[in-house]
Each structure stands twice: as C-alpha cells, then as structure tokens.
Amino acid sequence: MHRLTKIYDSFNRILRELPPFFVGMKNLPLLFSILFAMILTSQEKRKVITGQVNFKHAVISDVHVVNKNSNQGTITTDLGFFEIPVFVGDTLEFSHINLEKQEMIVTESNISQKKIEIDLQEKTYALGEIIVEKPRSIFYVDPEIMPPPIVNATTLNLPYANTKAKKDETILSIRSGAVISLDNLINSINGTNKRRKELRKIALEDTILSKIRKQYTDDFFITDLHIKQENINMFLNYCFKKNIISYFNKKNNLKLTKILMNESETFLQNNTTKVSILDKN
C-alpha cells in the first residue's frame, strides 16, 4: 500500500506538469499506459535474506519457514540455515513438529544485515488428570464383566456348614455362685468335650479353606491349575498337609501360590485320592 501511494503521488505530479492537451479524454489511453509503465518500473523485488534457526544453542533442521505475505516457503538445512525473499513488514512463520510455532516481522535492520537468527522453544503438552488407584492382584476379575461368585461354607458344600451350637442351658448352681451346664458335665465324663474341640478346629479350618478359594477365585483353579470346579474343595484338602492354612494366615501369598501350583501337578496325576482331611476326622 505504501508503494502504491508513492506511485499515485508521482502520477499526479506528472499530470500537473503535462501540457493541457494531454489531459483531454482522447489522451486518456496514453495516460494509463504511462501509469502502467510507472507501476511496472516501480515494483520492487523482494530481497533474499539468510537466516538460521536454533534450539537451546543447537541448530535445527527441517524447520518450515513461510512468508505469510507472499506465501513462499522453505525448509532449514542440516546446519539450520535458510534463504527466503522478503519485504520490510513481511511476517515469517517458523514451525516444527516438536517445537512451538513462532512468528517474526521483518525489519529494516534485517534487510540491511541480510541475516536473521531466531530461537525456537520446546513444545509443551498439557496432560489430563491422572487417578492413581490401588494395585490389583493378578487374579482380580472386574465385577462389571464377571460378577464374583457367592462363596461360603454352604455353597462350597463344606462339612458342618449348617451346624449350629447347641444352646447351653444352665441347670446346676454351686455355693460359689458359679453355674455349670449339665451337658458340659456329661461331656467331661464321656470324652465328648474333646470331640467337640476337634470339630470346632475342623470347622475353623474349613472356613479358612473357603477363604483361600474365595481369594484366588474358581477361575484361577480351573484355568491356571486345570482343576475341575467340582474338585476344587478336594484339591484344597489335598494341599492341607502342606500347611497352606499357616501360610494364608501369615499372608505369605507367594509361598501359598507356589504350593498350589506344585501340588496341582501331583493332584492331577493321583486323582484317585478322594478322602479329604475332613472325612478322615
């Protein structure tokens, strides 16, 4: 626009200096020819300047340099250099896939020095919110995909699952004010009390075995150990002699898993053993 204004002022000055007969209507084509010639001769060519693109004091190759006014572009070399024609006031855009896009306006100083140097900045990425959850076991099954089975003493068909303690009815008082059950008195005589202690111990062991099955899930026994679902309880009883209850109570899951995996091989080879520790008792 500045150059056109200068051309327009020059054209007006020429018109004022021309003789009157040139200004007539029949001489308008001649005047326009003069104006067109002035425009052609007054067009300035863009001057080629050299530049270098850096990133943290190191040259960058493959940076796209575009003159947004002339739509001309180039790419920096392996040494970070480029050449591009410009006018004063042109906007140069620098872009790279891993760097922030940057623009600069060409100044008179850039034209006179015929060289520019620009430093690009590293591109930053905004990450979304990250929620750190509690680590899950390798045997975890998403309840939305596969609802967990109901596991208890009844569903596992464990012995004494539905056993209820008999109500202790006190029928005898002694002088000290203490009370004693007639059943306890009889049991102490015929040895039944010892039997009941053993039964309570077995019931507790059954409960822990059911917890082990619940912790590992049936899918682990079926898929990883190749134990049929109907034989899982039998397999846990088979592993009882390896102190799996003790390792479970100590929360030594690594040792417990190793025992289950080792015993599954011998159990599959010797599947004729049908008697569990509960049956023996």
Side-chain angles (χ1 to χ4, degrees):
M1 182 64 70
H2 179 66
R3 292 191 298 274
L4 291 177
T5 303
K6 291 173 64 177
I7 294 171
Y8 179 75
D9 293 339
S10 299
F11 181 69
N12 284 333
R13 186 174 63 255
I14 292 173
L15 288 179
R16 289 195 298 270
E17 294 175 357
L18 287 175
F21 72 90
F22 274 104
V23 189
M25 292 296 295
K26 62 180 179 179
N27 293 318
L28 285 179
L30 178 60
L31 294 177
F32 281 114
S33 298
I34 297 173
L35 175 62
F36 182 71
M38 292 175 61
I39 293 175
L40 291 179
T41 55
S42 62
Q43 284 288 341
E44 297 179 10
K45 291 184 179 181
R46 282 184 163 84
K47 296 182 179 180
V48 177
I49 62 173
T50 303
Q52 187 177 33
V53 181
N54 301 316
F55 171 66
K56 293 184 178 180
H57 306 292
V59 295
I60 299 297
S61 61
D62 298 326
V63 176
H64 292 261
V65 184
V66 178
N67 187 330
K68 298 179 68 174
N69 297 83
S70 64
N71 291 327
Q72 291 179 300
T74 184
I75 299 177
T76 58
T77 64
D78 293 338
L79 298 178
F81 287 106
F82 68 92
E83 290 184 348
I84 193 169
V86 295
F87 277 141
V88 175
D90 284 354
T91 300
L92 298 182
E93 181 183 80
F94 302 85
S95 60
H96 190 275
I97 188 172
N98 294 321
L99 302 174
E100 288 287 352
K101 186 181 295 185
Q102 190 168 329
E103 293 183 354
M104 70 163 292
I105 298 176
V106 179
T107 63
E108 291 281 0
S109 176
N110 298 138
I111 297 294
S112 61
Q113 295 178 3
K114 295 184 179 181
K115 182 179 180 181
I116 60 175
E117 188 170 347
I118 187 167
D119 294 320
L120 298 184
Q121 302 298 321
E122 186 175 4
K123 186 177 292 185
T124 56
Y125 298 91
L127 299 179
E129 183 179 1
I130 299 176
I131 300 176
V132 179
E133 298 182 350
K134 182 180 179 181
R136 296 173 175 173
S137 168
I138 60 174
F139 307 113
Y140 173 78
V141 178
D142 193 337
E144 296 183 0
I145 300 176
M146 182 182 296
I150 299 175
V151 180
N152 52 42
T154 302
T155 58
L156 296 176
N157 296 321
L158 296 176
Y160 313 104
N162 298 316
T163 302
K164 294 183 179 179
K166 185 178 179 181
K167 186 177 180 181
D168 186 11
E169 297 179 354
T170 302
I171 61 171
L172 181 64
S173 299
I174 57 179
R175 286 184 183 179
S176 63
V179 293
I180 186 171
S181 169
L182 180 59
D183 288 340
N184 292 337
L185 182 61
I186 296 175
N187 290 338
S188 63
I189 296 173
N190 59 18
T192 305
N193 195 34
K194 180 179 180 181
R195 173 68 175 172
R196 288 191 174 181
K197 288 182 179 179
E198 293 176 352
L199 293 179
R200 284 196 295 268
K201 179 182 178 183
I202 293 173
L204 178 60
E205 292 171 349
D206 281 346
T207 302
I208 296 177
L209 290 178
S210 66
K211 289 182 178 179
I212 294 175
R213 179 172 180 173
K214 181 178 180 181
Q215 173 176 296
Y216 283 92
T217 74
D218 286 5
D219 183 69
F220 168 72
F221 292 98
I222 297 171
T223 304
D224 297 310
L225 303 186
H226 306 292
I227 304 296
K228 293 183 179 180
Q229 188 172 21
E230 60 268 23
N231 294 332
I232 295 178
N233 288 343
M234 186 184 303
F235 171 66
L236 290 174
N237 286 318
Y238 178 81
C239 299
F240 178 81
K241 62 182 180 295
K242 297 296 183 178
N243 294 325
I244 60 174
I245 290 180
S246 175
Y247 290 118
F248 177 80
N249 289 334
K250 293 178 181 179
K251 296 183 179 180
N252 191 343
N253 294 329
L254 183 61
K255 181 67 176 178
L256 178 57
T257 304
K258 185 177 180 180
I259 292 175
L260 294 176
M261 296 180 69
N262 291 337
E263 292 300 307
S264 65
E265 298 178 1
T266 58
F267 177 80
L268 294 175
Q269 296 172 0
N270 188 22
N271 199 20
T272 57
T273 305
K274 300 295 184 179
V275 182
S276 68
I277 59 169
L278 301 182
D279 296 330
K280 291 180 179 179
N281 289 278

